[in-house]
Amino acid sequence: MINSNENNKDEKKIVLKIFRENTAQKTDSHYDTFNVPYKKWTTVLDALLYVKSYMDPSVAIRYSCRMASCGSCGMKINGIPRLACYTKISELETSTIECEPLPNLPVIRDLVTDFSRFFNHHKNIQPYIQSKDGVDDPDTEKKTFSFYQSPDEVDKYLQFSYCIKCGLCYSACPTVGTDLKFPGPQALAQLYRYYADTRDETKNRLDIVDDRHGIWRCHFAGSCSKVCPKGVDPALGIQLLRSYMLGISKNDKKLAEKNEIQTDEESI
Amino acid sequence: MMERHRMLKESQIMKIHYITGIAAIFVVAVHILMRLIVPFGSSLEYDYIISNYKNIFYVFILESILVLISIHGFNGIRIILLV
Ligand code: SF4
Ligand code: FES
C-alpha cells in the first residue's frame, strides 16, 4: 500500500480514470479522474485502494487475496481484461490508466460486475469428479478412495486445474459478446479438465456442450488464452474437446486404479 | 443446456459442415483447373460445352459443387442466425 505521507524520490504520479456507474440508482455512467502517487511495485489495485482511502470512498471494487489467487479483482485495464492486483502500474508504461468493468458481464456498480451467469455456465458442466461408487450404493458413498495417476495422466489436465474463475477469458471472448448462452472459454476448458481426468467416470460429459449454443460456436479467436493470468490455455482445451467430439482423437482414458482408504472414523 | 429430441447432434452437423467445406474447396479447384487448361475461345464453343455435359465425371463435379456449397452455406447462415 502507498503511504500518502511518505516523501520519497521514487514516487511518481499516475492519472487513474475510473468508470463510475450505479445501476441500482440508475445514474448515468461517467469516468472520474484521480492523480495517484505510485512506486515501482504499486499495483493497479493498490492505486484504486489509495483512491478509496484518501480521495473517494464511494468507488466500488471487488478484491480479496491481493495475490492473483481469488480471481475477484478482474477489470478492464487500459482496454485489456486483467487482474488489478497482478498488474503493476510501472509495467503498463503509460501516464493514464483507465479502469473499466469487465465486458460481457452486467455491471453492478463501478468496477464490480455480476458473475451469476458466468458461474451458472461453470456449474452446468458439472465441475467435479464423478465416480460410479457412491452413486447407486449409499454404503460406498461413505467410503474414501485414493486414486493412482501417472505424471503423464496428470499432465493432461493439470494446467486447466489452475483456473481461479476470474472470468477474464469469459470477458475477452467475442462469442460470449454475441451469444450469452455460449458457455464461454472457462466452462469449456473446465469440461476438458474433468473429461481428461482419469478419476472421472462421467458418461456423456461431452453431450453437455454439444448443442446449438455450445462448443461449436467457438471461432478460435484465442483471446481467452491471451488474457488468462494463470497460464491456462482455454482455447487449447476447446480444440482438444472438439477433436474428441469429431472422432479425430480417441478417448483411450484408462480409469485410475483406486484403493479404499480406512478413515480414522472407521478405524476407531 | 443439453437438448434432446433433435435429429442430429450439433457435432454431427458440424462434421458435415467441415466435410462439405473441405470437399467444396477440392471440387471448385478441379473445376477451375479444368477451365484453365482449355483456352477461353474454345471453351465457349458449342461442341465443347455439349461434350462437357456428356462427361459424367465433369457433370458430377459441377453438381457436387452446388450440393456441397448449398449444405455448407445454409448451415453457415443457420449459425449466423442462431446468435
Ligand atoms: S481460464 Fe484463466 S482467465 Fe479464464 S477464468 Fe480461469 S484463470 Fe481466469
Ligand atoms: S484480489 Fe484476489 S485475484 Fe486479485
Side-chain angles (χ1 to χ4, degrees), chain B residues 39-82:
Chain B
F40 183 67
S42 39
S43 76
L44 297 177
E45 279 169 17
Y46 178 83
D47 288 343
Y48 178 75
I49 291 170
I50 293 298
S51 71
N52 264 343
Y53 289 120
K54 286 194 170 154
N55 179 342
I56 288 293
F57 171 71
Y58 191 66
V59 168
F60 177 75
I61 287 213
L62 288 186
E63 290 306 317
S64 61
I65 290 175
L66 285 177
V67 173
L68 293 171
I69 289 183
S70 302
I71 296 173
H72 188 81
F74 280 118
N75 187 48
I77 292 171
R78 178 192 70 100
I79 292 169
I80 293 166
L81 294 178
L82 264 181

Side-chain angles (χ1 to χ4, degrees), chain A residues 118 162-170 186 224 227-230 232 234:
Chain A
F118 171 80
Y162 293 145
C163 172
I164 55 169
K165 286 97 196 154
C166 64
L168 298 196
C169 55
Y170 186 83
Q186 187 274 341
C224 49
V227 299
C228 179
K230 302 305 280 185
V232 181

Side-chain angles (χ1 to χ4, degrees), chain A residues 118-144:
Chain A
F118 171 80
F119 286 128
N120 280 340
H121 283 308
H122 178 64
K123 276 187 215 149
N124 272 343
I125 60 107
Q126 303 171 6
Y128 36 83
I129 287 166
Q130 299 181 60
S131 160
K132 265 196 246 125
D133 290 311
V135 173
D136 304 322
D137 182 357
D139 284 337
T140 48
E141 207 176 330
K142 292 180 194 113
K143 289 181 182 164
T144 310

Side-chain angles (χ1 to χ4, degrees), chain A residues 177-241:
Chain A
T178 52
D179 183 359
L180 295 177
K181 291 185 193 154
F182 178 64
Q186 187 274 341
L188 292 170
Q190 288 311 294
L191 191 133
Y192 176 74
R193 179 249 173 277
Y194 290 97
Y195 183 70
D197 195 320
T198 54
R199 292 168 296 178
D200 185 63
E201 295 175 44
T202 315
K203 288 256 171 347
N204 309 329
R205 199 180 261 286
L206 297 183
D207 288 349
I208 303 171
V209 291
D210 194 4
D211 82 346
R212 288 188 291 177
H213 295 277
I215 187 165
W216 302 101
R217 299 294 81 84
C218 164
H219 299 299
F220 202 28
S223 37
C224 49
S225 302
K226 271 196 207 139
V227 299
C228 179
K230 302 305 280 185
V232 181
D233 189 350
L236 171 70
I238 296 171
Q239 299 317 309
L240 290 171
L241 277 179

Side-chain angles (χ1 to χ4, degrees), chain A residues 45 62-73 83-86 164:
Chain A
L45 181 64
R62 180 165 49 209
Y63 72 100
S64 176
C65 68
R66 300 191 188 188
M67 49 186 268
S69 287
C70 70
S72 50
C73 66
L83 292 180
C85 70
Y86 199 51
I164 55 169

Side-chain angles (χ1 to χ4, degrees), chain A residues 11-22:
Chain A
E11 205 170 84
K12 294 179 233 157
K13 289 223 167 185
I14 188 91
V15 178
L16 202 58
K17 255 180 89 182
I18 304 176
F19 178 89
R20 308 299 305 271
E21 184 179 7
N22 191 337

